Amino acid sequence: MLNRPLRHVVILGGGSAGWLTAALLAADHDSASPTGLRVTLIESPDVPTIGVGEGTWPTMRDTLRRIGVSETAFVRACDATFKQGSKFVRWTRDHADDHYHHPFVLPQGYHDADLVAGWLRRGDTPFDRLVSFQPQLCDAGRAPKQFGTPEYAAVANYAYHMDAAKLGLFLRAHCTERLGVRLVSDHVDGIDVHDNGDIAALRTRAHGAIDGDLFVDCTGMRALLIGQHYGIDKTPCGDVLFNDRALALQVRYPDADTPIACQTVSIAQANGWIWDIGLSARRGVGHVYSSAHTDADAVEATLQRYIGETGGADCEVIARQSLSFEPGYRRRSWHRNCVAIGLSSGFVEPLEASSLVLVELAATMLSDQLPATRETMDVVAARFNDTFAYRWERVIEFLKLHYVLSHRDDSAYWRDHRDAASMPARLGELLALWRHQSPSRYDLPRVDEVFPSASWQYILYGMGFRPDTRATTRRASDAGRAEAAFREASDLARRMIPALPSHRELIDHIHTRGLSPV
């Protein structure tokens, strides 16, 4: 049994996690061929998907291209738009003019000059606008590419906003029609196991026992395999990140030509924060909050007031969903011949779109490192678990950074977030270090960090953290290089804004004429 080749992967659960995993496995391992890897996805006809994770990271472009999807088809089918980063409003102080950007473009001259020392010499110039052209593009409503830019190519780095429920349907069609994935629409009533404790088969009501060599748990927060069957517990993090509820609404645009936001907009509130995401035909607007600090009625009133202020009194809400979750993750998301991907492996909160990118990274690593036999599976599992325990810890620290730097004092919610007892020890150490030097590859040493050092700089300095950098280093004293990088960022913004279409214009162009193939 140990040396038997791995021939069949069974995925339990659809949605974005299940179908992204199926697509990557099938595309990479030639499932459409009779000699390729068999991939079966079992999807219950009665269990709805969560479907509210509408933001992605630029990795999604590589993922879609890797599985053979047309970008034009994806944009059309999933109401997708282009995301160039995030804009944070009222996070530092509860003032209307308090905002900063976390763009996807790396700062100009990031590897060549000490930009932080140069920024400090400039005085009160916002860090994001000084080192990057992308905030100006977003403020001007510009798209990240031109009409003639080929699919997946970019003038400015971008990801997507999309309808997550439609993404699952789009990927399901692509998987079953082009990639050779077998879909079984059925309920799982039982699990058969081998003598060694491995899962042997999933017993379905109408299709009998479906056996496999590797089983992927994409059953969401129910975690039917990794949690209920194997009993692998989650590591809670509600003492660090307090949010455990969300109210998500879909809001229709007042007019067909309403401008589309170029980034996720996150607006801090007294007891949580509001997300505002622009799709092609509607907005996705939601309020994430801590049930220990407020209640559903107060959140409803806050969200309705925000929608009225930003969309008008007659703004139509076309769908709503209330969600609850327990922040946490599994340190072991691969146990025996079962691996959890998506919400079954964990969820902390939707800030910075970390959930879907972790799905992508997990599915990609599974496909890249797919064990050839059961004999090597435990080696791959140990490596997988080490990688994702590290990633979850770094994600939690990065999200917590947004809260601990805030100066808001309008509620216990913000004061509790700054309490030293809620600070991860490693984050505290890094903040002490960063009082004297900026985040770098030495602080985040892995090649494929979810949030690289540039992201930490955008948040730190966007929220007013001002380090006391050492003036004795040669790079700090080389003011000319930093100033040249600042001029380059400004010149790029000045040239790009008139040369790029508006976001709405590009989306309309894709729907009517499409993008050029790569």
Side-chain angles (χ1 to χ4, degrees):
M1 178 177 173
L2 288 177
N3 291 317
R4 187 178 71 185
L6 192 151
R7 297 292 192 192
H8 187 198
V9 177
V10 178
I11 302 168
L12 180 57
S16 299
W19 287 111
L20 271 174
T21 303
L24 281 163
L25 287 170
D28 288 350
H29 299 277
D30 201 19
S31 293
S33 165
T35 59
L37 178 74
R38 291 169 57 208
V39 178
T40 298
L41 189 145
I42 305 172
E43 189 172 42
S44 170
D46 299 333
V47 178
T49 59
I50 297 292
V52 297
E54 297 179 324
T56 66
W57 273 81
T59 50
M60 183 60 77
R61 287 158 57 198
D62 293 329
T63 298
L64 294 177
R65 181 166 43 197
R66 180 168 172 169
I67 65 175
V69 164
S70 157
E71 188 174 35
T72 294
F74 161 72
V75 169
R76 290 172 174 173
C78 301
D79 295 341
T81 54
F82 298 105
K83 173 185 175 181
Q84 297 185 60
S86 297
K87 181 178 182 180
F88 293 92
V89 181
R90 296 182 181 268
W91 275 80
T92 308
R93 293 178 174 81
D94 189 17
H95 299 158
D97 61 351
D98 176 82
H99 60 82
Y100 71 94
H101 300 258
H102 176 194
F104 285 148
V105 167
L106 199 68
Q108 296 301 126
Y110 187 66
H111 298 297
D112 302 322
D114 190 335
L115 301 179
V116 177
W119 165 64
L120 291 171
R121 283 192 293 268
R122 284 290 195 102
D124 294 330
T125 306
F127 179 78
D128 55 351
R129 300 180 70 87
L130 185 63
V131 303
S132 173
F133 62 83
Q134 202 157 35
Q136 289 91 308
L137 259 60
C138 292
D139 288 345
R142 298 294 97 182
K145 59 200 296 177
Q146 297 172 309
F147 294 150
T149 308
E151 291 192 338
Y152 300 117
V155 174
N157 196 20
Y158 68 84
Y160 306 100
H161 290 135
M162 81 286 167
D163 186 311
K166 290 184 177 180
L167 174 65
L169 296 174
F170 175 73
L171 291 173
R172 180 170 69 183
H174 183 69
C175 285
T176 56
E177 295 169 9
R178 299 191 179 188
L179 297 181
V181 176
R182 176 194 178 202
L183 168 62
V184 175
S185 181
D186 206 343
H187 300 276
V188 170
D189 289 331
I191 300 171
D192 295 332
V193 297
H194 292 295
D195 291 341
N196 68 349
D198 281 3
I199 297 175
L202 303 181
R203 282 185 272 114
T204 65
R205 293 179 191 175
H207 296 80
I210 298 176
D211 60 5
D213 303 306
L214 176 67
F215 294 82
V216 185
D217 187 342
C218 295
T219 60
M221 294 179 186
R222 295 173 298 150
L224 296 180
L225 303 182
I226 198 73
Q228 294 186 30
H229 175 67
Y230 277 125
I232 304 299
D233 292 332
K234 288 200 303 183
T235 298
C237 64
D239 58 337
V240 176
L241 296 170
F242 308 148
N243 293 332
D244 60 355
R245 300 287 188 276
L247 174 61
L249 308 180
Q250 295 180 11
V251 181
R252 199 184 305 279
Y253 287 120
D255 301 296
D257 59 353
T258 300
I260 301 172
C262 301
Q263 56 204 335
T264 299
V265 182
S266 172
I267 309 96
Q269 304 296 314
N271 294 292
W273 55 275
I274 287 173
W275 77 77
D276 196 338
I277 286 174
L279 304 187
S280 58
R282 64 166 178 85
R283 292 157 61 200
V285 183
H287 193 315
V288 186
Y289 64 99
S290 162
S291 62
H293 294 85
T294 189
D295 57 40
D297 290 340
V299 165
E300 174 85 36
T302 298
L303 195 55
Q304 292 293 346
R305 182 169 59 251
Y306 172 80
I307 290 171
E309 291 170 353
T310 56
D314 299 327
C315 200
E316 182 184 2
V317 176
I318 55 179
R320 62 187 297 121
Q321 188 175 9
S322 295
L323 305 167
S324 63
F325 53 93
E326 296 178 0
Y329 67 99
R330 296 181 210 278
R331 290 186 180 274
R332 280 193 299 146
S333 51
W334 192 327
H335 179 71
R336 304 204 66 84
N337 67 334
C338 172
V339 55
I341 293 179
L343 297 178
S344 57
S345 69
F347 183 76
V348 288
E349 72 153 273
L351 189 67
E352 294 278 14
S354 58
S355 182
L356 196 51
V357 73
L358 285 170
V359 170
E360 285 186 82
L361 293 172
T364 298
M365 185 172 182
L366 173 63
S367 184
D368 288 346
Q369 296 285 300
L370 190 68
T373 66
R374 179 62 181 88
E375 183 179 31
T376 59
M377 189 177 294
D378 291 342
V379 176
V380 175
R383 182 181 298 173
F384 186 95
N385 288 333
D386 174 74
T387 296
F388 281 90
Y390 176 88
R391 284 173 169 164
W392 279 111
E393 290 163 4
R394 298 296 83 74
V395 165
I396 290 167
E397 291 165 359
F398 183 70
L399 301 190
K400 183 66 172 181
L401 182 71
H402 296 64
Y403 294 97
V404 300
L405 295 177
S406 177
H407 294 281
R408 289 185 63 128
D409 200 33
D410 53 316
S411 68
Y413 174 86
W414 293 99
R415 291 189 291 273
D416 290 348
H417 264 300
R418 291 193 295 272
D419 189 324
S422 74
M423 172 93 74
R426 186 177 182 276
L427 179 58
E429 293 171 357
L430 288 173
L431 286 171
L433 188 65
W434 292 338
R435 293 286 176 191
H436 308 286
Q437 60 192 59
S438 55
S440 72
R441 67 184 186 276
Y442 298 105
D443 307 306
L444 303 149
R446 299 208 178 184
V447 173
D448 51 358
E449 294 281 348
V450 178
F451 298 105
S453 57
S455 292
W456 293 78
Q457 289 194 17
Y458 279 128
I459 306 305
L460 277 171
Y461 308 134
M463 296 195 71
F465 186 94
R466 297 184 73 84
D468 182 18
T469 57
R470 284 174 286 187
T472 55
T473 63
R474 183 188 60 79
R475 292 181 76 241
S477 63
D478 190 359
R481 289 190 179 185
E483 288 298 325
F486 301 154
R487 286 194 299 273
E488 185 178 3
S490 178
D491 289 345
L492 284 169
R494 179 177 49 80
R495 296 199 303 269
M496 285 182 177
I497 288 174
L500 289 166
S502 75
H503 195 183
R504 170 69 71 183
E505 288 171 338
L506 179 59
I507 295 301
D508 288 347
H509 175 86
I510 294 171
H511 279 270
T512 56
R513 304 184 65 178
L515 293 168
S516 302
V518 178

